[in-house]
Structures are given as C-alpha cells and as structure tokens.
Amino acid sequence: MNVTAAMALKLVPKYLGSQPVFLCIDDTMVPKFGKKFEGISKLFDHAAHNRSNYLNGHCFVSVMLCVPVWDKNKIVYQSVSLSYRMWQKKESKLELAASMIRQAMPELKEKKNVIILCDSWYTKSPLVSVVDEYPNLDLIGNARCDSVLYAPAPQPTGRRGRPAKHGRRLAIEEDFTLSKEKAGGYYTGVRRVLTNIFGTREVLAYVTATQREGGSRRLFFSTIFPEQLQIFCAWQEKAPLNHTGSSWMQYIPLFLYSFRWNIEVSYYEQKTFWSLCSYMVRSRKGIEMLVNLINIAYCAMKLLPYQYEIFSKYRSESVQDFRFALSERIRQEVFLTIFVKKSESMIKSSVFIRTLKYLVQQKGYHL
C-alpha cells in the first residue's frame, strides 16, 4: 500500500507539488455461490439485480489515491487503488477505512492538502475523527439530508451565564440561498455551519438541487475552505472545476467531490477486465492476498504510461486496450526468447541462426 502510494506521488511534477491530492474511500461487494469461503455472509446491496437486495459474498473496503499529472496541456488526476481489506464484522467499515487512512498518511506528510472524499455512509464520527490527527488532512463528503445543522455560535454578549455553543438550528430547504445559475448541473447554496458530526469545528455545508424551487436536495460537508486551497482551476481537465471567476471560488470544495467517482470506475474495470470477482481461494488471508495482487498488477499498468515515454500514447487509451497491447508484447517476447534458445541448443547450423536473427531484427525486435 505504501509503496504504491510512493510510486504514484513520484509522477507529480514539481510545479504541481502544491496541488491537492485525494484519498477516495468506498466499499464494494463480491457475490459468491456456496458457503465454503471463509468470511462469507449475507450482505445488503441496494444495486443488486437478483430480485432481492441481499446477496451472499464478501465486502471489501478500499482506499484510492488521486494525484495530479500534466498531460496535453491540462492537469489530469491519475488514480490508483492502494489496497483492499475484507470486512469481517469484528470492526466496522468506518474503523477499517480509518486504519487504512492512518497507514497511508506517512507517505503523504509532505503534501500541503490531502483530502478524503467519501459518500454519506462514511461521513460519520469514526472516520471524521481522523481529520483532527493530521494538520494537512481534510474531508469532503456527502451527508444525510436529515443531519442536524446549526448556525455558528454568536459573539459573547458579556452577560452572566454560559455562552451559547451554537446558533439556531438550520433547515436545508429554508436557510440556504441557491445560486442563480447552475454549477455542474445543480443550483448550489453554501454557508458555514456547526454539526454534531464535526463537534465544535466549523465546516462548510453545501446544498444542491436540480430546481430552485421544490424538488429534492443533497447535502455535502467540507472541512477545508476555498481560501486554504491552492489549485490551478484554469488548467484543470474537466468542468466545472476549470471555471474561473470570483463567483465560482466558493464552490471549489464541492467541485472537488467529483473525483470520488474515480473509485467507482476502478471497481468496474477490475471486476470486468481483471477478474477481481473470480477468485476460488477459500481462506480469508488467501483471498485478501490474491485480490491485492490483482490490484497491484492493475495499478502497475496504470502507472506505466507515465513512467516510460514509450507507453505514453496509452495515457488516454482505455484500460482494456492497453492491457491487450501489453499481453501481446509479453507473449511475443516469451516466444522469441524460448524459440531462439531451443534453436541454439538443438540445431548447430550457424546459417539458420543468422537467418533467424535477421528476420527478428526486420520485425523490430532485438535479441
């Protein structure tokens, strides 16, 4: 996990060293038939397509690192999954994610801003408390719409008695003024708040809606404020983060949340093209080792185009195309090496060997 993080950080150019890096947290389920696998259990999956929201399988918690790289005159965030851990019910998924964050942070201590991105399941105290342990760590996360919000504490009046710990209670339908224009497809409102999740720490609360009047609303929290970020918006690859202007600055933390989707793409690619769900090992330790071995191969392939210029054309190609090109080249190299060795030991004809070398060199390969 730490070696993968260190390799990914080496891809960041010096002139992008001040840009934030992200730690995306989520979990994924792997359905398995039968009950012979260690640690298998009945899991609730809201996206299951089996006429039921329950399945037999394993649940893995993972952490992904997103780092900025320079490609085609734009800042592109390259993402690598650091590790998978199987959820065993001995500790909650929140505690499991927090321990993985603590393990990765020593590699990220030199970065100015490290930001955790997570959905509403993980925006809870066991994980949020990790933010207070590191000075350069913050969190941007989705939250339940019924989360209790308060206005910041009023200034002391000088009267006798204990000062108020917070202001009045806020409602996301009434106390957030939405923007006049859509930002990233949503009308957005923002204000400083206090909430029980973060204790006495003031955070930014963002409320988004597809309609200015009526309709459902979503709630997001950010422990980092726009003035604490040093990010080159004009050079970002994707909108709306690359929008410039003072009116957009207050929404930058919310725009950064879109990088969390990278972990969902990683799950899809590994399950579809790297056989992440096809393991037949029964022991828990063996399953974890195999899943992380698959992940290491997947991450190595994603880092390769940025480490060696010869593979740079695959930076914008799909994962399956690059995987096919690599496997084809490895197959050719293995065949040529074995074939030449057998030819030298079995056939003592120097004419044949010279002819073989000539044909190989004509194809662009060097023995």
Side-chain angles (χ1 to χ4, degrees):
M1 181 177 182
N2 293 72
V3 171
T4 305
M7 292 179 65
L9 290 172
K10 290 180 180 179
L11 303 181
V12 182
K14 290 184 178 180
Y15 52 85
L16 297 181
S18 62
Q19 301 300 289
V21 298
F22 304 101
L23 290 172
C24 305
I25 299 175
D26 205 352
D27 57 86
T28 186
M29 298 181 188
V30 178
K32 305 301 291 185
F33 295 99
K35 299 182 179 180
K36 301 297 184 180
F37 296 93
E38 183 180 354
I40 202 168
S41 60
K42 199 84 166 178
L43 303 171
F44 175 81
D45 184 8
H46 63 88
H49 301 287
N50 56 359
R51 299 183 180 180
S52 172
N53 286 329
Y54 292 90
L55 55 83
N56 287 319
H58 294 122
C59 180
F60 293 94
V61 178
S62 68
V63 173
M64 169 178 281
L65 176 64
C66 301
V67 297
V69 295
W70 187 257
D71 187 28
K72 296 180 180 179
N73 298 322
K74 291 291 183 181
I75 298 176
V76 180
Y77 271 85
Q78 182 64 29
S79 55
V80 290
S81 183
L82 298 183
S83 180
Y84 284 87
R85 296 274 297 277
M86 185 189 293
W87 176 53
Q88 287 292 291
K89 296 185 179 180
K90 297 177 182 178
E91 56 181 341
S92 68
K93 289 188 283 187
L94 293 165
E95 295 171 336
L96 199 58
S99 66
M100 297 174 75
I101 292 293
R102 292 187 180 98
Q103 183 177 345
M105 281 307 295
E107 298 294 335
L108 304 171
K109 60 182 179 181
E110 301 298 330
K111 304 303 295 183
K112 181 180 179 181
N113 294 120
V114 182
I115 302 175
I116 298 173
L117 304 177
C118 58
D119 59 16
S120 57
W121 176 267
Y122 289 92
T123 311
K124 297 180 177 68
S125 296
L127 179 63
V128 168
S129 60
V130 180
V131 175
D132 297 325
E133 300 176 15
Y134 303 93
N136 63 334
L137 185 62
D138 285 282
L139 181 142
I140 301 173
N142 189 207
R144 291 172 56 99
C145 291
D146 58 356
S147 299
V148 178
L149 307 178
Y150 298 100
Q155 294 295 327
T157 61
R159 299 177 181 176
R160 295 179 61 183
R162 186 178 64 181
K165 293 183 178 180
H166 52 73
R168 64 182 183 86
R169 184 167 177 174
L170 304 176
I172 62 174
E173 296 83 6
E174 303 171 359
D175 296 308
F176 286 80
T177 303
L178 300 182
S179 57
K180 296 181 180 180
E181 298 179 1
K182 285 188 175 182
Y186 296 92
Y187 296 104
T188 308
V190 58
R191 65 181 300 168
R192 287 176 178 249
V193 300
L194 291 171
T195 179
N196 295 334
I197 299 175
F198 296 93
T200 58
R201 179 172 184 167
E202 286 190 16
V203 297
L204 287 178
Y206 290 91
V207 172
T208 63
T210 55
Q211 304 175 15
R212 293 204 69 200
E213 301 294 337
S216 61
R217 299 192 174 192
R218 300 181 66 193
L219 176 64
F220 300 84
F221 290 130
S222 172
T223 63
I224 191 167
F225 297 89
E227 58 270 17
Q228 298 172 326
L229 286 166
Q230 185 178 350
I231 185 167
F232 304 148
C233 293
W235 302 103
Q236 295 294 324
E237 178 189 25
K238 297 181 180 179
L241 189 57
N242 55 16
H243 292 173
T244 57
S246 58
S247 60
W248 295 96
M249 293 299 102
Q250 59 181 336
Y251 303 127
I252 286 180
L254 179 63
F255 297 158
L256 295 178
Y257 181 77
S258 62
F259 289 113
R260 196 204 70 85
W261 185 250
N262 292 354
I263 198 169
E264 302 289 354
V265 176
S266 175
Y267 289 152
Y268 170 77
E269 292 177 344
Q270 292 194 50
K271 289 181 177 180
T272 306
F273 306 112
W274 287 85
S275 304
L276 188 71
C277 301
S278 302
Y279 56 83
M280 299 300 292
V281 185
R282 292 188 177 184
S283 68
R284 182 195 62 80
K285 184 178 180 180
I287 293 171
E288 276 196 345
M289 292 176 65
L290 179 58
V291 167
N292 280 287
L293 181 60
I294 294 173
N295 181 62
I296 289 172
Y298 170 78
C299 293
M301 185 200 65
K302 295 195 71 175
L303 295 175
L304 202 58
Y306 295 93
Q307 292 177 321
Y308 297 97
E309 191 64 27
I310 190 174
F311 298 113
S312 60
K313 66 178 182 179
Y314 292 104
R315 292 178 181 178
S316 57
E317 296 290 332
S318 64
V319 174
Q320 56 268 36
D321 288 341
F322 187 32
R323 180 177 180 270
F324 176 79
L326 277 179
S327 61
E328 191 68 21
R329 184 62 181 266
I330 292 172
R331 189 180 300 111
Q332 293 172 356
E333 293 285 353
V334 171
F335 171 78
L336 288 172
T337 302
I338 295 176
F339 185 65
V340 171
K341 286 182 178 180
K342 288 186 176 181
S343 299
E344 290 179 348
S345 61
M346 297 170 58
I347 304 174
K348 303 300 181 181
S349 173
S350 60
V351 177
F352 175 80
I353 295 174
R354 287 199 301 270
T355 303
L356 180 61
K357 288 184 177 180
Y358 173 77
L359 292 175
V360 170
Q361 290 173 357
Q362 291 296 313
K363 292 293 185 180
Y365 300 105
H366 301 282
L367 298 178

